[in-house]
Amino acid sequence: MDKISGFSDDELLVKILSFLPFKFAITTSVLSKQWKFLWMRVPKLEYDEDSMYSFEYSFRYFLPKVKEVDSETYSIVSESGHRMRSFIEKNLPLHSSPVIESLRLKFFTEVFQPEDIKLWVEIAVSRCAQELSVDFFPKEKHNALLPRNLYTCKSLVTLKLRNNILVDVPHVFSLPSLKILHLERVTYGDGESLQRLLSNCSVLEDLVVELDTGDNVRKLDVIIPSLLSLSFGMSRYCAYEGYRIDTPSLKYFKLTDLSKTFSGLIENMPKLEEANITARHNFKKLLELVTSVKRLSLNIENNDAEALTAIYGDDIVFNELEHLNFHIHNAYWSELLYWLLKASPKLQNLEFDEQCSRDGTMGTLAVFWNQPNSVPQCLLSTLQTFEWSGYPGSVQGKDLATYILRKSRQLKIATISIGYGLDPQQKLKMEMDVKFSFRASPTCKRVFY
């Protein structure tokens, strides 16, 4: 410690503190007089209410089994929250760093009020903030209105807002440096606020939009030539009327569309490299848009056999696909997976996550892995890794695993997770069935857990 204190240049010490978690940087104030106020010059600030409590108290407060929180938990959480609020209220206005590079706020108790959020964001913006992250989720569901000066912050590069934040975008605003924008389950001042915001972000590269129940967003156009990464999600109860996505530079695309009807138009993604699709409708159209990707995660939530059968055909080929992560939430996955393997001649890695392949009940499995007549080309020549996360007692998953082992000539490693909740004897038998099945690749290593 003496060697560190020997530095005459406080700027070096501030630089060192900036690499520490902010709460640890604050504690260095007790080391010596030289260190007492150095943390006040650290340009990266983070106040996370979760860090004040153990997981037990956070859980008991936020997810009580009864309507009222027990008095002990309420007292501890409330007292700690008041201490943090008083600390921020006292020190943030006096923070001596001329530029606040980042301010991250995360609160969930009623101790913190919407007016606090507005004031603290306003202070950060006045110090040329480059990154703002606010997650506000009080039990009383009050929305925090952000200050007007946020929408004219020329230095702001990253803006991440989550939960009870009111995004009320003025008709005239300017965010010329904004490259990263995350809006997750926030509330909008009117139905056009989000559209106004997106239409005037000329250098945006990373966008996350998650719409939820009660949103007043009805239509949305994401037409951003500079965008490289897009994550767009809608819950099954969203009342939106449609969306359009036109992003010619996009490299990563994540779509979660659980709405009751599909009304989206997606086009112009020639540079796409990775896609993560969770959907209930129009699967073929979505897959046609991502045929150029190297990595694909596919999660289909639909038990309609006719809707899934409509995908099959020779008109869709994933010529560049190397990694496939296939999630199961329906009972008709056998033919769909076989079709995907046939359509992916260069596939090297297959992850099969059998989360739920039952018919909506806890009864018997609806279908079994059907042994196809022809072997997909990728199994004969390119597949190197296979991972199966199985549902306890799944016979069809076991049959798939043994089929992959029997047919994959270049397979190097197969990782098998049969799942929890299965009788140990049954689990052992399933492991033995897979372990002693024939392998087309004699050097293939099998890992069980």
Side-chain angles (χ1 to χ4, degrees), residues 358-364:
R358 295 175 183 261
D359 58 1
T361 69
M362 293 305 291
T364 58

Side-chain angles (χ1 to χ4, degrees), residues 297-353:
S297 180
L298 185 61
N299 190 338
I300 293 180
E301 298 196 3
N302 192 314
N303 280 327
D304 185 351
E306 185 176 345
L308 296 176
T309 303
I311 301 175
Y312 310 148
D314 297 328
D315 52 333
I316 299 179
V317 179
F318 300 94
N319 279 319
E320 304 300 323
L321 189 63
E322 296 176 355
H323 186 107
L324 172 63
N325 192 320
F326 189 54
H327 295 261
I328 302 303
H329 286 277
N330 61 73
Y332 303 99
W333 61 267
S334 177
E335 292 185 22
L336 176 58
L337 179 56
Y338 175 65
W339 173 81
L340 284 168
L341 293 176
K342 281 187 63 179
S344 309
K346 297 181 181 179
L347 191 67
Q348 297 179 19
N349 309 290
L350 172 62
E351 294 181 20
F352 177 67
D353 191 353

